[in-house]
Amino acid sequence: MSDRDQRLDGTGTRIIGRLLHSRGGTLGLVLVTLAVLAAVFAPVLSPRDPAEQNIVDRLKPPFWAEGGSLEYPLGTDSLGRDMLSRLLFGSQISLFVGLAATAASGLVGVGLGLISGFLGGTADSVISRLGDVQQAIPFLVLAIAVAAVLGPGLLNLILVLVITTWVTFFRVVRGDVLSVREEPYVMSAHAIGASKARIILRYILPNVTASIIVIATLLVANMIIFEASLSFLGLGVPSGIPTWGRMVADGREYIANEWWIALFPGLAILGTVMGINLLGDWLRDALDPRRRNR
């Protein structure tokens, strides 16, 4: 094993050890792992088709409540659809939207941040003013306006989230690039005639990657909440597709008596978002140079 491989192996071991000794990080990892497993194995774990309706068994309570049965472990909704199956398949949509929207938003925001911070001048002014305009409009107002124009749909929802969140990556990356571009190794690359593209990709991007990873981790949680909010308002994915946000919306009319319809998807959102945030907080500390050697 080379010295470089040994160093990488040692770094990985320290990071894993720090994670296992962090209660918050460990809890976050467990919650995120459960959400991912639910999404991956939803077709295997689901007792029924999530879209299957059975009016005869509508509004059945969970099995531990009076009138409930193990046939529907978490009860049924107003159309007699199995809540457990809808929760499991809803995790697929919520996680997919969170990951896909964050990845797309990151590509746009990081790309513009690198260009703006490295080139400066007119490019920086134009992109920064565009970001100022986007931030001046409240997220929900802008999201509703864009969603109303594009209409419901999974791809349209992801596009809405990208349009309204790219500036988060842009601001952080631009700030990091402004400090990194004056470093001696970047100036040396300029001096030997390296192209701008090579300098950005070879010398600048690796040094802002830690910030990108942390922002992306935390933004996934925000994306899940944004998707749930838009689906709750009927501006997310089509009504036939189970998502946690739409399930909460479906249960708001029954919250007084049939509490489980809104409670379980709400708890799923809470647990997943909390897990991602805890993991993101731990990751931020793990990648902080001031804490790395502790």
Side-chain angles (χ1 to χ4, degrees):
M1 182 181 292
S2 66
D3 292 341
R4 179 176 179 274
D5 291 337
Q6 290 178 346
R7 288 196 300 270
L8 291 175
D9 183 64
T11 300
T13 302
R14 287 196 300 271
I15 290 176
I16 294 174
R18 192 178 295 123
L19 172 61
L20 296 178
H21 283 86
S22 169
R23 293 182 180 179
T26 303
L27 177 59
L29 180 63
V30 170
L31 292 173
V32 171
T33 301
L34 289 175
V36 171
L37 290 176
V40 172
F41 295 103
V44 178
L45 298 175
S46 297
R48 286 178 170 76
D49 184 337
E52 180 184 348
Q53 301 180 15
N54 188 352
I55 302 301
V56 176
D57 291 327
R58 66 188 296 268
L59 301 179
K60 283 277 189 180
F63 74 91
W64 63 84
E66 183 179 356
S69 68
L70 289 175
E71 184 180 5
Y72 301 102
L74 297 183
T76 61
D77 63 8
S78 59
L79 296 176
R81 295 173 295 191
D82 182 54
M83 287 293 299
L84 176 58
S85 299
R86 292 180 63 78
L87 273 176
L88 292 171
F89 277 94
S91 66
Q92 292 182 330
I93 301 300
S94 295
L95 291 178
F96 172 75
V97 169
L99 293 172
T102 299
S105 178
L107 287 175
V108 175
V110 171
L112 292 178
L114 290 171
I115 294 172
S116 179
F118 183 76
L119 296 181
T122 303
D124 184 29
S125 298
V126 171
I127 300 174
S128 296
R129 296 297 78 75
L130 182 62
D132 291 339
V133 170
Q134 192 270 321
Q135 283 193 313
I137 305 174
F139 160 77
L140 200 55
V141 174
L142 180 59
I144 290 174
V146 176
V149 172
L150 298 177
L154 190 58
L155 293 179
N156 288 346
L157 174 61
I158 293 174
L159 182 59
V160 168
L161 295 176
V162 171
I163 292 174
T164 53
T165 59
W166 65 270
V167 72
T168 303
F169 283 100
F170 167 74
R171 293 296 186 196
V172 174
V173 172
R174 176 181 177 273
D176 285 351
V177 172
L178 288 176
S179 62
V180 170
R181 71 177 185 179
E182 303 298 331
E183 293 292 332
Y185 56 85
V186 176
M187 304 304 294
S188 299
H190 278 291
I192 63 175
S195 65
K196 293 179 179 179
R198 177 173 175 79
I199 293 174
I200 291 174
L201 297 177
R202 177 68 177 83
Y203 299 100
I204 293 182
L205 181 58
N207 287 281
V208 301
T209 300
S211 297
I212 295 171
I213 292 173
V214 173
I215 292 297
T217 303
L218 297 175
L219 194 58
V220 170
N222 289 339
M223 291 295 191
I224 292 175
I225 295 177
F226 295 158
E227 179 276 323
S229 301
L230 293 176
S231 295
F232 183 86
L233 296 173
L235 298 173
V237 298
S239 57
I241 301 176
T243 70
W244 290 339
R246 184 168 292 278
M247 291 172 69
V248 173
D250 292 342
R252 58 186 168 182
E253 298 179 5
Y254 304 92
I255 193 67
N257 298 311
E258 288 77 28
W259 45 267
W260 59 88
I261 300 177
L263 177 63
F264 293 136
L267 289 176
I269 295 172
L270 174 63
T272 303
V273 170
M274 183 174 69
I276 294 173
N277 281 327
L278 288 173
L279 202 56
D281 288 341
W282 167 82
L283 190 60
R284 178 190 58 200
D285 294 339
L287 295 177
D288 188 342
R290 293 169 296 183
R291 299 172 179 263
R292 193 170 296 167
N293 296 320
R294 294 183 182 179

